């Protein structure tokens, strides 16, 4: 049987970096989604206060395997 992958859009932010924002997105999504396979960063932005970046923000597509319900063919 072939596998099916579902893609959802997620948003996350971090005070440290865009990389940390991406890691937070995966960590938070993994609390309710199993078998995450990839994260594709669609957009990056930042919130600026004064002369510095205070929030790094990402919008990303996250893909994961769709599981079959037991007993279904």
């Amino acid at each position: 049987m072939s596998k099916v992958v579902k893609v959802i859009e997620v948003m996350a932010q971090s005070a440290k970096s865009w990389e940390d924002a991406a890691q937070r997105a995966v960590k938070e999504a993994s609390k309710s989604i199993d078998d995450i396979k990839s994260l594709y960063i669609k957009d990056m932005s930042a919130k600026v206060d004064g002369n510095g970046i205070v929030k790094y923000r990402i919008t990303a597509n996250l893909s994961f395997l769709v599981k079959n319900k037991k007993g279904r063919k």
Side-chain angles (χ1 to χ4, degrees):
M1 180 175 218
S2 62
K3 295 181 181 182
V4 175
V5 176
K6 184 169 185 169
V7 178
I8 60 171
E9 186 172 88
V10 297
M11 296 167 51
Q13 67 180 10
S14 166
K16 291 171 33 174
S17 67
W18 282 293
E19 183 178 349
D20 187 56
Q23 186 61 47
R24 286 172 181 254
V26 172
K27 184 176 181 179
E28 192 64 28
S30 70
K31 292 178 181 178
S32 61
I33 299 171
D34 295 326
D35 295 322
I36 295 173
K37 297 301 177 190
S38 67
L39 183 78
Y40 171 75
I41 307 297
K42 292 174 54 178
D43 189 40
M44 296 186 300
S45 62
K47 181 177 180 185
V48 176
D49 188 17
N51 293 326
I53 295 174
V54 294
K55 294 286 183 187
Y56 297 86
R57 297 175 172 163
I58 63 153
T59 303
N61 284 344
L62 188 138
S63 66
F64 56 96
L65 291 178
V66 175
K67 292 185 176 181
N68 290 331
K69 290 184 180 180
K70 295 190 185 241
R72 290 183 88 176
K73 294 183 181 182

